[in-house]
Amino acid sequence: MIIGVCLKQVPASDSRIKIDGSGAGVDASDLKMEINPYDEFALEEALKLKDAKVAKKVIVLTVGGSDSEQRIRDALARGADDAVRLDDAAFAGSDSLGIARILAAAAQKEGVGLILAGKQAIDDDNSQVPAMVAELLGWPQVTVVDKLELDGGSFKAWRQSGGGVRDVVTGSLPAVISADKGMNTPRYAKLRGIMMAKRKKIPVYDAAALGLDPASVGAAGAKVTQVNWSEPPARPPGRILSGEVPSMVKELVTLLRDEAKVL
Amino acid sequence: MAKFEGVDFYNIDQHLSDEERMVRDLVRKWVDVEVLPIIEENCREGTFPMHLIPQIGEMGLLGMNLHGYGCAGMSNIAYGIACQELERGDSGLRSFVSVQGSLCMFPIWKFGTEAQKQKYLPGMAEGKLIGCFGLTEPDHGSNPSGMLTKAVDDGDSYIINGAKMWITNGTLADVAIVWAKLDGDIRGFLVERDDAGFTAPEMKGKHSLKASVTSELVFDNVRIPKDRILPDVRGLKGPFSCLNNARFGISWGAIGAAMACFHSAVEYSKSRIQFGKPIAARQLVQNKLAWMLREITKAQLLALHLGKAKDDGTIGIPQISLAKMNNVDMALQIARMARDIHGANGVLDEYPIMRHMANLESVFTYEGTHDIHNLILGRHITGFQAFQ
């Protein structure tokens, strides 16, 4: 079986995000990019299934420009066998559904039997793409999974469903599984993997190669448009109390209770 | 403290290949996640973080610039930059990797028989076999040619007698590369942990490189089979070719320790308020920070250029001496200056400063003391040898 891992590059989690001049996008010029952390769990799970000889091959599927190639090479260095980069001018402005259409087409083209993806990307936090990919392919899906077992043509997936309750979901392959934190501990790349990744070709598929109607993806196919981004309001300045300590303590407790409402 | 993002004032990055940058990012992240949270504890206890060895092996950092036998075959610049990132964590960790790769795997790879390479190198690359390098003796440090350790030919074996001192990883080692005189010639021998008469007691009481194991090696009529001699090298050329590789790595490693101290000093000075302002706003502090950046940048350029020369095979021995000497010296001075900027806080192990400073005192002296490297340069400049 071939496992497809959907992998997106996102700004490093400690980045300071700046809104660009248009007001509807992010100024990426100074941003350090990383593999979306939840996608790292998906990749690790795929690699573990390959190590256990349950999967024959792991292929990375990334929608993105050439600047995402370094993240793809990182995934190859950790042990993914192949990768395809999905890039076309027609993909620009895609909403979650457009991205899902591109990924679903790539998964079909590559003969993927299981798709693993992060439960969400930490940049836009939409959490929509894995579910949409499953719907487009007509495959079973389980989201926010932290443990997965495969047995022949079926899977068993564990997920938290709130209040400490554990769901156990079974189904048949092919399927889409979205990964939560705690599923595994992502491995470090190996230096020999870095050397092998350097030599690997990363094919680029456009809309035509994927058999996609350009009108169904990108801004043309988007059902949702981002209109405006805004920075969080500036934090109001702190207040410094003065006077004798006993009266300051009283005042502080009153403020914490009545104004901040944290007590 | 803000996350460490490297120091790259002169855009060294643009001269690195993609895979060299990947190595840098990989080791930097590994140090952040696995080393920095635990290293002060090891330092306090005077122990090496043994649990990291399998990870170091698995990533492929051991013998990473050698080809074949399970080694990654990366560039010397990649090796240098890995040393830099490791030493940003701790010199002890970088020493571990230097000793294993440059001092132990390299001589087997370069001077060993095919059978020796097959026997030792793959396991050493994985970190499953640990090596140590026995050259220095209690009474012969800068002058290794005076060594007293001797091997004698005894039919189908050699018998080794003598003692070595200041040996990194000695007590941990499965195999020791031991330099001893055979008929007056310095030769390399492979002594294994279980060979009768071989012991490696740990040296205690160091105030430096505390998170690293340093040992004596004692050889009391150690009999080893004839196939444990390194056949292809005689004389000091053997150990010196190993040391030159290790010194190359140290010239990069010291930059890492300096970067850690500089980063901490910048962060501290921006948050430490005295007389109503951050001390970073004061000219005396800025002068120190500017000096640190200046020295780190020069050291980076030296190391990078030396790395290119090593990769294209034009590297020279005096050039290695200059880089080792300069870069360790600047790192030590930066550590002391950073301690000053941190005020009293600089002596606490909440900050990495004193640990790096104390470590660098050893690095200043080992692998050719600062003064010996001066004399190597002096000989190069004048043609006069001032050692003897």
Side-chain angles (χ1 to χ4, degrees):
Chain A
M1 180 181 60
I2 298 171
I3 301 179
V5 176
C6 302
L7 189 137
K8 181 184 187 184
Q9 71 166 353
V10 295
S13 53
D14 56 354
S15 305
R16 198 174 139 55
I17 305 294
K18 286 185 282 189
I19 312 277
D20 70 9
S22 75
V26 169
D27 176 3
S29 54
D30 289 335
L31 288 178
K32 188 170 185 290
M33 305 304 277
E34 286 180 351
I35 297 176
N36 175 41
Y38 292 107
D39 297 350
E40 288 191 292
F41 299 121
L43 173 64
E44 177 61 30
E45 199 65 17
L47 295 176
K48 281 169 71 179
L49 288 166
K50 197 184 89 168
D51 291 345
K53 307 219 183 306
V54 177
K56 190 174 76 193
K57 184 170 123 175
V58 174
I59 180 164
V60 170
L61 313 170
T62 294
V63 182
S66 57
D67 63 323
S68 56
E69 209 148 282
Q70 204 50 48
R71 261 50 65 191
I72 297 174
R73 295 223 180 263
D74 186 358
L76 292 170
R78 294 190 206 191
D81 299 281
D82 284 310
V84 292
R85 188 163 66 77
L86 313 165
D87 192 11
D88 190 316
F91 296 167
S94 288
D95 60 3
S96 298
L97 183 58
I99 300 288
R101 283 199 171 109
I102 300 164
L103 289 168
Q108 274 183 318
K109 184 176 166 71
E110 294 298 326
V112 163
L114 169 66
I115 293 176
L116 283 161
K119 67 164 181 161
Q120 72 195 88
I122 63 158
D123 52 357
D124 54 25
D125 279 339
N126 276 329
S127 313
Q128 294 174 341
V129 169
M132 287 174 165
V133 170
E135 283 300 311
L136 287 167
L137 293 170
W139 292 1
Q141 57 167 305
V142 191
T143 56
V144 202
V145 169
D146 60 19
K147 186 180 168 193
L148 177 69
E149 282 175 4
L150 299 188
D151 183 12
S154 63
F155 68 81
K156 195 170 180 182
W158 283 255
R159 64 196 302 279
Q160 296 285 355
S161 62
V165 176
R166 300 274 284 157
D167 276 352
V168 185
V169 185
T170 57
S172 60
L173 297 174
V176 177
I177 303 287
S178 80
D180 194 8
K181 192 177 176 177
M183 193 179 205
N184 50 50
T185 306
R187 68 191 65 188
Y188 292 100
K190 293 179 171 56
L191 267 47
R192 291 171 79 185
I194 290 176
M195 294 301 271
M196 284 196 295
K198 175 176 112 171
R199 290 189 284 268
K200 282 205 170 122
K201 292 253 181 304
I202 302 172
V204 181
Y205 295 160
D206 59 9
L210 293 168
L212 284 169
D213 173 5
S216 70
V217 293
K223 299 193 187 309
V224 179
T225 311
Q226 286 172 8
V227 189
N228 184 42
W229 290 55
S230 60
E231 304 228 4
R235 235 194 305 178
R239 196 187 310 174
I240 295 172
L241 306 178
S242 58
E244 293 298 313
V245 171
S247 67
M248 284 198 292
V249 169
K250 249 185 215 161
E251 195 185 348
L252 178 64
V253 171
T254 309
L255 288 170
L256 287 173
R257 189 183 58 215
D258 299 342
E259 209 166 284
K261 298 193 190 330
V262 294
L263 291 182
Chain B
M1 191 156 70
K3 198 173 155 197
F4 177 78
E5 297 284 2
V7 180
D8 193 8
F9 190 57
Y10 264 37
N11 200 2
I12 300 291
D13 225 57
Q14 69 175 337
H15 298 289
L16 302 178
S17 65
D18 283 345
E19 62 271 17
E20 287 159 358
R21 276 192 288 268
M22 284 172 86
V23 169
R24 196 253 332 265
D25 292 346
L26 168 69
V27 182
R28 184 172 290 172
K29 183 174 172 190
W30 181 78
V31 166
D32 278 335
V33 175
E34 310 288 347
V35 178
L36 294 180
I38 55 112
I39 197 68
E40 291 292 356
E41 193 65 31
N42 283 99
C43 211
R44 262 186 232 173
E45 290 171 1
T47 54
F48 184 77
M50 295 295 289
H51 69 286
L52 297 180
I53 297 176
Q55 295 181 32
I56 295 170
E58 206 158 300
M59 284 189 286
L61 295 173
L62 302 170
M64 61 181 275
N65 52 345
L66 302 178
H67 291 262
Y69 307 98
C71 303
M74 299 202 90
S75 70
N76 288 296
I77 290 181
Y79 170 58
I81 213 142
C83 287
Q84 172 191 299
E85 294 303 323
L86 287 168
E87 196 148 356
R88 182 182 63 96
D90 192 85
S91 303
L93 211 59
R94 200 267 308 135
S95 297
F96 178 87
V97 170
S98 288
V99 167
Q100 179 86 346
S102 287
L103 296 184
C104 298
M105 295 174 72
F106 171 77
I108 296 172
W109 181 85
K110 177 91 178 166
F111 307 121
T113 62
E114 186 55 34
Q116 288 168 346
K117 293 176 199 183
Q118 298 286 357
K119 181 177 179 189
Y120 297 107
L121 291 179
M124 292 177 86
E126 286 182 79
K128 290 181 178 154
L129 286 177
I130 311 284
C132 72
F133 178 86
L135 176 67
T136 299
E137 299 189 350
D139 295 322
H140 297 89
S142 294
N143 176 22
S145 63
M147 70 171 64
L148 300 175
T149 302
K150 274 200 172 73
V152 294
D153 192 325
D154 189 48
D156 57 358
S157 51
Y158 296 110
I159 299 171
I160 301 177
N161 277 289
K164 300 287 178 182
M165 203 173 180
W166 305 111
I167 309 305
T168 301
N169 298 349
T171 311
L172 310 177
D174 300 286
V175 57
I177 315 294
V178 179
W179 302 94
K181 280 184 181 163
L182 175 68
D183 300 326
D185 260 355
I186 293 174
R187 301 294 302 266
F189 299 90
L190 300 159
V191 176
E192 295 185 358
R193 176 200 281 274
D194 296 330
D195 288 335
F198 172 47
T199 48
E202 187 172 353
M203 295 171 64
K204 294 285 189 185
K206 286 177 296 167
H207 282 298
S208 172
L209 288 180
K210 291 185 73 170
S212 171
V213 173
T214 310
S215 316
E216 292 175 56
L217 307 181
V218 181
F219 308 95
D220 179 12
N221 282 317
V222 179
R223 182 180 289 275
I224 58 167
K226 277 264 165 86
D227 63 3
R228 295 233 228 108
I229 191 168
L230 294 173
D232 294 340
V233 70
R234 281 162 199 269
L236 275 177
K237 183 172 147 265
F240 280 174
S241 62
C242 306
L243 291 171
N244 282 328
N245 282 317
R247 289 164 182 174
F248 167 79
I250 292 169
S251 71
W252 284 83
I255 298 171
M259 284 175 170
C261 294
F262 174 66
H263 176 66
S264 186
V266 171
E267 293 298 318
Y268 182 85
S269 66
K270 290 204 289 202
S271 64
R272 175 73 175 174
I273 315 281
Q274 288 295 288
F275 303 105
K277 267 195 210 173
I279 61 170
R282 305 292 178 185
Q283 290 183 350
L284 283 174
V285 172
Q286 289 189 2
N287 186 38
K288 289 177 182 131
L289 295 174
W291 186 85
M292 291 180 180
L293 180 61
R294 191 179 101 189
E295 289 305 314
I296 288 172
T297 302
K298 289 193 289 190
Q300 284 177 300
L301 294 172
L302 271 186
L304 179 72
H305 198 77
L306 196 67
K308 284 181 195 289
K310 191 160 167 60
D311 278 330
D312 66 24
T314 59
I315 194 166
I317 289 168
Q319 285 74 12
I320 298 173
S321 283
L322 188 144
K324 190 270 180 183
M325 176 174 83
N326 180 80
N327 291 9
V328 177
D329 188 28
M330 74 88 200
L332 183 54
Q333 291 191 54
I334 283 176
R336 289 171 180 160
M337 204 174 264
R339 212 290 306 148
D340 177 19
I341 290 175
H342 284 74
N345 282 306
V347 307
L348 290 178
D349 66 6
E350 190 185 335
Y351 298 91
I353 309 299
M354 281 291 272
R355 184 166 51 80
H356 283 300
M357 187 206 289
N359 283 342
L360 287 162
E361 291 288 352
S362 289
V363 182
F364 191 77
T365 289
Y366 75 18
E367 303 263 1
T369 68
H370 186 76
D371 283 347
I372 285 290
H373 288 298
N374 266 318
L375 298 185
I376 291 171
L377 285 179
R379 180 179 61 188
H380 173 78
I381 298 163
T382 66
F384 293 111
Q385 172 149 306
F387 303 100
Q388 289 143 348

